[in-house]
Amino acid sequence: RSSDLASPFARQSAVHKTSQLNAEGDKKRVVVIGNGMVGQRFMENLIDLDVDKDKCTISTFCEEPRAAYNRVKLTSYFETRDPSALTMTSEFDEEGRTPWYEENNVELLLNDKVVSIDTEEKVITGASGKKVDYDVAVFATGSYPFVPPIPGKQRPGVFVYRTIEDLEAMLAYVKENNVQSAAVIGGGLLGLEAAKAVADMKVESHIIEFAPILMCRQIDQGGHDALVGTIEEMGLEVHCGARTESFVGTDGSTDADNMSPVAALRFSNEGWDDLPVQMVVVSAGIKPRDELARDAGTIDLGERGGIVVNEQMETNADGVYAIGEIALYNNFIYGLILPGYDMAGVCAKIVAEKELGIEMDNDEVPAFTGADLSTKLKLLGCDVASFGENQPPADDPDVSDLVWNDAIGGIYRKLIFNKAGTKLRGGILVGDAGDYSKLHKLAMQGGELPENPAMLLAPPSARGEVEEEELSTDPNTQVCSCNDVTRGDISNVIHELGVEGATLKEVKACSKAGTGCGGCEPDVKTILSQELEKMGGSLSNNLCEHFEYSRPELMALVRTASDPSTVDSFEKILAKHGSGEGCEICKPAIGSILASIYNEVVIDGGRDALQDTNDRSLANMQRGGSYSVVPRVPGGEITPQQLIAMGQVAEKYGLYSKVTGAQRIDLFGAAKYQLPDIWEELGAVGLESGHAYGKALRTVKSCVGSTWCRYGVQDSVGFAIRVENRYKGVRSPHKTKSAVSGCVRECAEAQGKDFGMIATENGYNLYVGGNGGVNPVHAQLLATDIDEDTVLKYLDRYLMYYILTADRLERTAPWQLKLPGGKNGGGPIEHLKEVIIEDSLGICEELDRRMQFLVDSYHDEWAEVVKDPARRAKFKQFVNTDENQPREDMIEFIEQRGQTRPTNWPEDGAPQTNWKPDDTDIFSRSEKSWVSVGKTSDFAPNVGSTILYGESQLAVFNNVLHGEWYCTQNMCPHKQAFVLSQGILGDADGVAKVACPLHKKQFGLADGQQLDGDLSLITFQVKIEGDEVLVELPSEVEVNAILGTSGLRVQSSCMDMTGTDLEKDILNGVKQVPQDVTSAAAKGV
């Protein structure tokens, strides 16, 4: 029904009925219909206002199987497949609940959809039959995906994109039906999010949009063109102006009743062919879920849906409110989260004062009067933002716009000014929205524009700099738009928590800042740091629980020690400056510090226990536990003899070969025990370690320069080789990459590297601080027209300054961004010029000396291993036998384009992942004996070693720091990879642990329990008798039945692994193994 609001709202106070009283006496019952993000926010606001907790009790109906979660971040579900990563409160238990509801006396009615509301009797009924009397009812039912009336929408394979269950259903359908291609109906915000979800499923994605452009409410044709370019570069296809006629079934049917699975889209566009797809995801907009109000017959609705509300979020029905996507205010449905939160805030204040009698100190009646619809999003990896009046009417006379259209870079920006150029009215930013906050503020709050407004047009990336917007100190500045949190709100929370309690996690939880889309988290962190400094504290940047120092602080302590012999090992540094036993965070960080100062072989002197996954094996661990071999190819120059040798090695060892993007060749699939032999053959033709495994210089890329190219002005290849040979092997906080271009055509892409040189007629221009990868950054110009020797002098200082002062795993670009500005103005690049060129800090002599030491002490790590039997022994597969298990025994290798590679890992949760024994103590009833597995000298200290027992791999850990020995299965249950012995040992709160080298899953060594999840390891007792290491084990046959390599091998066709009769007997607790089986085991059968 639709009616004039004036009289019903005016009548409410007159007809207000006597409140229903519940079992708690005078408390009123507030019932929230819907437990989504907005309904949850309303409850939190109301609870905060009911300071004494004596005015109301709250019930909330939740149709889904779990409590409120963050739909805005729904696509991130694929990163973890863990619903708790999206929770609005805290981790979900097995029932889908979180402690928040019980702690706040909120009745959570899960899996219970409201089916009726009687506004006269004030009773709400759930699908379970539960009836709840109410004093106040708040509709927060949200919306549902609009599905156009396209014939075939009923077919299997047609989905909507709204909930976690929708995603799980899609994933299951993709797997069960081998879906290769899917269509997403809708090219708006939700459609593009759905397209990302489909792409994350590794399915070819087609975006189908009825309008002529994508996101027609937010961007124009120019923005569309830039966005489509970025999307299609990712392998997705965009079809705009599409008139979808039907979803065609596998049997060719196009009607609205047939239930054959979807097989194609058919269009009414002239000349368009059918689009073959095996799945369709409809995300073509939303419709308010108003069926409950419609059925009630007493609540006013809009002509096109939605519950009509006034500025106080009141409906025409007594005690009934509506918020979020169900609420129709001023004939408009707001489909963004921020307006929903605004509504929740207003509604909570009105309910508190009017319905609960809480005295509110409001100067004005709280009111929702509309919302700013500006948005900044990251869609399919592309910045998309719009703000203010981004598409003014065509007949608006007071409009002047400026456009930046970089088709090559995929950047489009349109700023809309008034005719006089004195006011920014709005804008569209696609591809680079780094200055969105500044522009949005200018448009929405006003402010003085530059004398030439065009200065605002160029994107930060085109200005040759990394722009960091200054954070306003005004307490009224909005920091979190999702939750409408100001800087003042955050500051108040920090001061209330105090220096000790104000952690980033607590500040986010208490202020709600950063808990929506997460985009403001860096600003929250900055405010926290600034406020703590005012309070005499500081934001902890401790390396981990074992060191109360950051990496730069630890580096300073080590390099300035009066007696270097007191800090030349991890154990000494830990004893002097730390506590506990260390972990997978601090050990590699200190290993890097030691390498940067002393530059000794990283696997000598117990330092192999410090090295991360790859450094310990001097090779990159790949899927399934095999390794890659990457020889250094300085400057990309390689001889035919070296190419032949690499080909022969690849053929001999069955290695997959690929030319990398950094001008060298990767050989994949080597077993660890094969690496010394492989490198011996490669070293014979002069090939050295490429350090692809280390946080060190990877490559110096080059074009052919003046040697061959008609445009080249310098010998870029020769200089690249010189640079690479100078810095090869230098360990740093993170990997570094470089390039040399022989002319300004920049074929080597030097400006996208950590340091790069571009040839000029007079020498080279030197650029520093560029990064590719996830967050590409343009390098900045440090010096111009300098000769090769000067380039190297400046680079020595730049790299050593970075090594000494950067944080752990910090690339040069973010490190450079954090540096102070120059003394006479300018950003960090001016500071670098002062330090490196002018020696403003007086440290250039130390920087020069330290870098020269690293250059002079260079050693090819693989050459050191090959010539030394003791080092080669570190690569033996099993310490107790010379037998080897080939890679194919652990994971299936399949053929692809004439080469072999390991089969794909199944998705998490599928068979052959997250392995669990049927019993946590599966061998508890087995007869065991003490089995000698080697001498104590066979097991290196503070690392894991692998033993072979029958055909089962077990990991033995000699934890000298803890004074204990441990034995577990060697297979990490997460991906069934036989790698645990290669993990880093450490402790967490005193519990000895190992971190899986593949995905850093943490397992307690004593009990095998995962410290950061619900997986577990089978463990065995170890004892030392003299110099013998003994492990208490059941018979080989029993262990093989559970942990045998062949039975746990990952393969493309998932087999039934339920086990043999023997295994079933073990699981049933048979104490005696049959005599014939024992005899067979003794014979090695």
Side-chain angles (χ1 to χ4, degrees), residues 876-1046:
K876 189 178 178 183
Q877 188 174 18
F878 303 112
V879 300
N880 64 329
T881 177
D882 291 330
E883 182 182 344
N884 292 312
Q885 285 190 342
R887 64 185 189 180
E888 291 84 0
D889 285 4
M890 292 172 272
I891 186 170
E892 179 184 3
F893 274 69
I894 60 176
E895 186 172 333
Q896 186 173 64
R897 297 183 291 277
Q899 301 195 79
T900 57
R901 68 166 181 85
T903 189
N904 293 335
W905 267 335
E907 296 289 339
D908 272 8
Q912 303 185 97
T913 68
N914 299 328
W915 178 90
K916 295 180 181 179
D918 287 359
D919 191 314
T920 54
D921 192 5
I922 197 167
F923 295 121
S924 61
R925 300 183 182 180
S926 298
E927 287 194 353
K928 305 181 183 71
S929 61
W930 289 101
V931 178
S932 175
V933 296
K935 305 293 185 184
T936 54
S937 58
D938 295 330
F939 297 87
N942 300 315
V943 296
S945 302
T946 316
I947 61 172
L948 187 64
Y949 183 65
E951 68 142 357
S952 301
Q953 295 190 25
L954 305 180
V956 175
F957 300 94
N958 177 11
N959 193 343
V960 173
L961 285 174
H962 204 72
E964 296 285 350
W965 289 73
Y966 305 94
C967 181
T968 73
Q969 66 195 57
N970 191 40
M971 180 204 71
C972 177
H974 176 218
K975 291 293 187 181
Q976 290 188 202
F978 297 83
V979 296
L980 280 178
S981 64
Q982 303 303 298
I984 294 180
L985 298 189
D987 77 301
D989 296 325
V991 176
K993 67 171 185 175
V994 63
C996 172
L998 283 174
H999 299 105
K1000 299 296 184 283
K1001 304 290 185 185
Q1002 314 283 314
F1003 296 95
L1005 288 172
D1007 61 6
Q1009 294 302 306
Q1010 185 182 356
L1011 305 181
D1012 53 355
D1014 61 353
L1015 300 176
S1016 62
L1017 308 176
I1018 297 175
T1019 62
F1020 305 93
Q1021 294 297 311
V1022 183
K1023 71 177 181 179
I1024 308 299
E1025 291 187 351
D1027 63 350
E1028 289 285 325
V1029 179
L1030 299 102
V1031 181
E1032 189 178 31
L1033 294 165
S1035 71
E1036 287 184 5
V1037 176
E1038 289 184 82
V1039 176
N1040 290 343
I1042 305 300
L1043 295 176
T1045 302
S1046 60

Side-chain angles (χ1 to χ4, degrees), residues 327-391:
L328 182 71
Y329 170 74
N330 204 17
N331 208 32
F332 192 86
I333 295 287
Y334 290 86
L336 299 175
I337 189 61
L338 176 57
Y341 281 169
D342 288 345
M343 294 179 190
V346 169
C347 187
K349 291 175 182 176
I350 295 297
V351 169
E353 186 170 31
K354 179 178 178 179
E355 307 286 354
L356 306 183
I358 298 174
E359 292 186 12
M360 305 288 293
D361 188 19
N362 295 320
D363 294 333
E364 299 179 354
V365 177
F368 175 83
T369 57
D372 175 16
L373 298 180
S374 301
T375 56
K376 179 190 176 187
L377 304 161
K378 179 78 77 172
L379 295 172
L380 293 163
C382 180
D383 278 352
V384 179
S386 63
F387 58 92
E389 300 174 75
N390 58 74
Q391 296 187 58

Side-chain angles (χ1 to χ4, degrees), residues 462-536:
R463 302 171 195 162
E465 61 185 42
V466 183
E467 178 158 312
E468 183 177 39
E469 296 186 54
E470 185 176 347
L471 196 61
S472 172
T473 57
D474 182 354
N476 297 313
T477 298
Q478 186 184 67
V479 174
C480 178
S481 59
C482 292
N483 297 320
D484 190 22
V485 183
T486 66
R487 177 174 183 130
D489 296 331
I490 298 170
S491 298
N492 291 339
V493 165
I494 294 168
H495 284 267
E496 288 172 9
L497 291 170
V499 171
E500 296 299 323
T503 63
L504 181 62
K505 181 179 180 181
E506 287 299 317
V507 170
K508 287 172 59 180
C510 295
S511 70
K512 304 302 179 185
T515 59
C517 71
C520 64
E521 184 169 315
D523 289 343
V524 178
K525 191 173 182 179
T526 298
I527 294 169
L528 174 57
S529 178
Q530 293 171 349
E531 294 301 318
L532 284 175
E533 187 175 351
K534 294 177 186 176
M535 298 160 65

Side-chain angles (χ1 to χ4, degrees), residues 731-744:
R731 291 302 209 279
S732 51
H734 211 303
K735 64 186 176 186
T736 56
K737 297 182 179 181
S738 179
V740 183
S741 285
C743 71
V744 294

Side-chain angles (χ1 to χ4, degrees), residues 111 142 193 224 226 248 303 381-382 386 395 413 433 513 539 569 617 746 808 816 826 835 876 911 919 1040 1081:
N111 292 296
E193 286 288 323
H224 162 86
V248 184
E303 292 182 7
C382 180
S386 63
D395 58 354
R413 291 161 65 92
L539 182 61
S569 72
S617 301
E746 244 285 68
R808 165 184 171 269
Q816 193 166 302
V835 172
K876 189 178 178 183
D919 191 314
N1040 290 343

Side-chain angles (χ1 to χ4, degrees), residues 285-349:
I286 59 173
K287 293 195 70 175
R289 294 195 60 177
D290 58 9
E291 64 274 16
L292 182 65
R294 192 177 301 277
D295 292 344
T298 56
I299 301 173
D300 286 351
L301 305 174
E303 292 182 7
R304 300 181 63 182
I307 297 176
V308 179
V309 296
N310 62 7
E311 293 181 350
Q312 282 69 49
M313 314 316 299
E314 298 168 307
T315 72
N316 65 298
D318 178 42
V320 178
Y321 298 76
I323 54 177
E325 293 171 344
I326 182 65
L328 182 71
Y329 170 74
N330 204 17
N331 208 32
F332 192 86
I333 295 287
Y334 290 86
L336 299 175
I337 189 61
L338 176 57
Y341 281 169
D342 288 345
M343 294 179 190
V346 169
C347 187
K349 291 175 182 176

